Amino acid sequence: MDDQALKTETLPETWSVAGRTFTSRLIVGTGKYKDYAQNAAAAKASGAEIVTVAVRRVNLTDPNQPMLMDYVKQDEFTYLPNTAGCFTGEDAVRTLRLAREAGGWNLVKLEVLSDPKTLYPDMEETLRSLKLLVKDGFDVMVYCSDDPVYARKLEEAGAVAIMPLAAPIGSGLGIQNPVTLRIIIENAKVPVLVDAGVGTASEAAEAMELGCDAVLMNTAIAEAKDPIRMARAMKYAVMAGRDAYLAGRMQRKLYADPSSPLGGLI
């Protein structure tokens, strides 16, 4: 094995957001599991270092009820509070301010939804909320539509990561617009993460092969028949997709190209 091959095999590859460095490129959610114990087991099986937490839906403060932090330990995972369920900028900003007061969290995920049926982001409200949060000192990762123009506006407004959807939240439809995702990735100077819509391991790998820095998912694992096994599958899918992206895909060709030379045949 030559020196370059040895380096590729032995050195862990990392990515960074807002000055924090991570090895795992898979972020997992903390909703829809049958209980916190299953959630914790899936998070560990996924190899994730970041878990996203819906502040309005998960118990973080009532000690008389089961608490997420008793299972998904903060010394094992970085918590990423999010604004799931918020449909106005005011609600989103208020939610993250409360999260910061409760847990001291400054790295956050912003999502401002347009309607309950599609859960598509309201991009006008998202951009307005982002500006308020950045002014307030938050490091904001932003869930957004797969719109290259808005992605650029979010970055210019101070987003530390852009998180375009692959398909509607919880749909499991996979990547619907690889062309626009590639444009966002090629133009962004901050990390780009596919967020929402991934349903199975091949789709997670596809996101990474496009050049995404990471993938965030929840339903694909939580609603699998075997969440722990699916979490493990996603772990390796993300790793394989990243390796394939770095290796560089072979060129597509119209006609066959034999693996062995045709010249010199007996």
Side-chain angles (χ1 to χ4, degrees):
M1 183 179 291
D2 60 34
D3 289 344
Q4 182 58 41
L6 182 61
K7 181 179 179 181
T8 301
E9 287 288 331
T10 58
L11 289 183
E13 205 214 351
T14 62
W15 69 287
S16 298
V17 59
R20 302 162 176 85
T21 300
F22 302 96
T23 300
S24 172
R25 293 176 180 269
L26 177 59
I27 300 174
V28 297
T30 51
K32 300 186 177 181
Y33 291 92
K34 70 176 184 179
D35 53 37
Y36 288 150
Q38 185 188 64
N39 192 163
K44 290 178 181 178
S46 75
E49 296 166 292
I50 304 174
V51 294
T52 184
V53 180
V55 177
R56 301 181 70 181
R57 297 173 179 165
V58 171
N59 180 28
L60 298 173
T61 58
D62 183 359
N64 297 315
Q65 301 292 329
M67 295 181 67
L68 177 67
M69 291 176 286
D70 292 335
Y71 295 85
V72 181
K73 307 286 188 180
Q74 289 193 86
D75 58 355
E76 298 177 14
F77 299 95
T78 294
Y79 272 36
L80 180 67
N82 71 56
T83 57
C86 292
F87 291 87
T88 69
E90 284 75 18
D91 278 350
V93 171
R94 186 184 310 111
T95 296
L96 291 178
R97 284 173 176 164
L98 289 172
R100 183 165 61 182
E101 289 177 12
W105 299 297
N106 199 62
L107 178 65
V108 297
K109 177 192 165 187
L110 171 66
E111 56 182 82
V112 184
L113 306 176
S114 59
D115 67 88
K117 184 175 181 180
T118 68
L119 299 181
Y120 257 68
D122 181 329
M123 292 310 302
E124 184 177 359
E125 281 290 278
T126 297
L127 182 57
R128 184 172 71 87
S129 306
L130 169 65
K131 291 176 180 179
L132 292 172
L133 290 165
V134 169
K135 187 176 180 180
D136 205 13
F138 285 94
D139 295 323
V140 190
M141 302 170 69
V142 187
Y143 167 66
C144 60
S145 61
D146 55 348
D147 180 342
V149 176
Y150 255 114
R152 185 184 71 247
K153 290 181 178 181
L154 293 171
E155 183 174 344
E156 290 172 350
V160 298
I162 306 299
M163 307 175 75
L165 53 81
I169 292 173
S171 68
L173 290 172
I175 294 172
Q176 298 297 299
N177 296 304
V179 173
T180 53
L181 286 178
R182 177 59 66 83
I183 293 170
I184 292 171
I185 291 164
E186 289 182 353
N187 287 284
K189 295 180 177 62
V190 297
V192 176
L193 296 79
V194 156
D195 178 7
V198 168
T200 191
S202 59
E203 294 158 4
E206 181 185 3
M208 298 307 299
E209 289 173 7
L210 287 172
C212 289
D213 293 278
V215 177
L216 189 152
M217 66 183 70
N218 185 69
T219 309
I221 297 175
E223 292 193 353
K225 292 181 180 178
D226 184 340
I228 313 305
R229 185 180 291 272
M230 183 60 80
R232 189 166 62 245
M234 292 299 189
K235 170 184 177 179
Y236 292 116
V238 167
M239 294 170 65
R242 179 64 180 175
D243 251 4
Y245 171 74
L246 293 176
R249 194 194 193 283
M250 64 168 284
Q251 182 180 355
R252 289 182 170 88
K253 302 167 186 175
L254 184 59
Y255 297 105
D257 183 6
S259 298
S260 302
L262 295 178
L265 294 177
I266 297 175

